[in-house]
């Protein structure tokens, strides 16, 4: 099937099966600033994807879409991984994490936090990298670039810390996740090696680690359990109200709140519901 509309941004290729619709830039909206920060880690604003690893779970694709920008679940779902980090002397702050969540029109979201848990073995390379960013952009912008972000581009592409996550829905209760470690183009090899070490070898709080790691495995297990739990017809509604009251609407159009608030999740489902309702209206199914 030929995609009628194709656009690119920083080497990423996006396709739409809709003949008409808004441009990719309009779809990004104010999220574009954060996508740009993510690519600014490379002086030529490009990354190379490594071969992906793959996880399959028996649950709906939306669980992973919610999860990537969720700052609340880690201290529970990943408790055993966090304990392991502490036991082996890696850096870990399991409580009181600073940071924020951001929600956007069009369903995008961001989970943002300080990059303060770099393992000692690779700290030197990361320090060298932030020095490069400081010289290139100035300290203020470099600090913004260097923040650790999980950027959820609606509907199914996530720019995690130094990896791409692509969600492929297969059935209502079956999903494949592809995760592509990235290499920053035009940076010294030792910096990319440090990044890969952080992603692949450390039991990292942020990066999820690869197939044999502890963190993604936790999430995928929970997705399957949530799918089972949702069969309970006695509970008609699930609440995503965490942080609803302090939601702060910024002039840029983004909503910003604390790190554990469900701002990105609400943004996601608002857009999903809007699209589903408009599709139903087009088909004359106004009883959705
Ligand atoms: Fe998780």
């Amino acid at each position: 099937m030929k995609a009628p509309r194709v656009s690119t941004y920083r080497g990423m290729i996006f396709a739409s099966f809709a003949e008409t619709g808004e441009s990719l830039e309009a779809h990004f909206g104010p999220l574009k600033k954060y996508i740009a920060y993510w690519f600014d880690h490379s002086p030529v604003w490009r990354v190379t994807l490594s071969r992906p690893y793959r996880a399959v779970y028996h649950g709906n694709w939306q669980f992973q879409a919610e999860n990537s920008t969720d700052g609340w679940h880690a201290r529970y779902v990943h408790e055993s991984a966090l304990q392991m980090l502490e036991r082996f002397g890696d850096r870990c702050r399991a409580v009181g994490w600073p940071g924020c969540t951001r929600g956007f029109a069009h369903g995008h979201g961001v989970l943002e936090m300080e990059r303060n848990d770099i393992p000692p073995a690779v700290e030197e390379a990361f320090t060298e990298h932030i020095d490069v960013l400081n010289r290139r952009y100035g300290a203020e912008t470099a600090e913004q670039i260097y923040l650790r972000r999980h950027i959820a581009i609606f509907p199914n592409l996530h720019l995690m810390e130094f990896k791409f996550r692509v969600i492929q829905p297969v059935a209502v209760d079956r999903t494949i996740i592809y995760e592509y470690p990235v290499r920053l183009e035009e940076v010294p090899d030792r910096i990319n090696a440090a990044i890969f070490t952080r992603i692949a070898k450390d039991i990292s709080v942020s990066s999820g680690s690869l197939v044999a790691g502890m963190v993604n495995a936790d999430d995928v297990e929970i997705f399957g359990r949530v799918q089972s739990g949702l069969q309970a017809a006695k509970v008609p509604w699930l609440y995503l109200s965490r942080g609803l009251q302090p939601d702060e609407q910024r002039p840029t159009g983004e909503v910003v709140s604390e790190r554990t608030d469900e701002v990105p999740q609400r943004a996601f489902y608002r857009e999903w519901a809007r699209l589903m309702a408009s599709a139903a209206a087009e088909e004359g199914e106004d009883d959705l």
Side-chain angles (χ1 to χ4, degrees), residues 63-217:
F63 303 151
Q64 180 63 85
E66 282 187 46
N67 169 272
S68 296
T69 50
D70 177 50
W72 176 236
H73 74 285
R75 71 184 67 180
Y76 303 107
V77 173
H78 304 307
E79 187 180 357
S80 61
L82 296 173
Q83 285 174 356
M84 199 68 78
L85 277 166
E86 285 170 359
R87 187 172 154 194
F88 287 98
D90 210 336
R91 294 184 185 184
C92 172
R93 292 200 293 165
V95 292
W97 286 323
C100 71
T101 45
R102 301 177 190 275
F104 300 81
H106 302 99
H108 315 302
V110 169
L111 173 64
E112 183 174 297
M113 53 222 132
E114 290 175 31
R115 191 172 283 161
N116 58 5
D117 61 346
I118 302 299
V122 295
E123 191 162 354
E124 197 177 321
F126 274 82
T127 303
E128 182 186 331
H129 187 48
I130 195 167
D131 286 344
V132 171
L133 295 176
N134 278 331
R135 284 196 298 275
R136 188 175 176 88
Y137 297 102
E140 202 174 318
T141 304
E143 192 180 334
Q144 280 298 313
I145 294 167
Y146 193 70
L147 284 172
R148 199 172 79 197
R149 291 193 182 88
H150 295 180
I151 301 167
I153 301 173
F154 187 91
N156 68 332
L157 171 63
H158 295 174
L159 309 181
M160 312 290 285
E161 188 191 20
F162 303 126
K163 66 181 181 184
F164 264 50
R165 174 179 280 168
V166 178
I167 308 169
Q168 183 182 355
V170 178
V172 68
D173 58 355
R174 190 170 168 84
T175 304
I176 303 174
I177 314 161
Y178 292 93
E179 303 215 348
Y180 301 78
V182 303
R183 291 180 61 83
L184 305 179
E185 290 193 13
E186 303 294 327
V187 306
D189 286 345
R190 62 185 170 280
I191 291 174
N192 275 318
I195 288 169
F196 194 73
T197 299
R198 176 166 160 77
I199 293 175
K201 292 184 180 167
D202 288 295
I203 312 165
S204 165
V205 180
S206 63
S207 303
S209 57
L210 304 188
V211 171
M214 298 175 70
V215 177
N216 277 16

Side-chain angles (χ1 to χ4, degrees), residues 5-41:
R5 294 186 304 137
V6 175
S7 292
T8 62
Y9 180 74
R10 300 274 165 106
M12 298 186 289
I13 304 169
F14 293 82
S16 172
F17 292 120
E19 294 281 350
T20 58
E22 61 190 359
S23 67
L24 183 63
E25 300 259 326
H27 178 63
F28 286 162
L31 185 76
K32 191 177 163 191
K33 177 172 80 174
Y34 301 99
I35 300 172
Y37 281 151
W38 194 84
F39 281 92
D40 283 344
H41 284 98

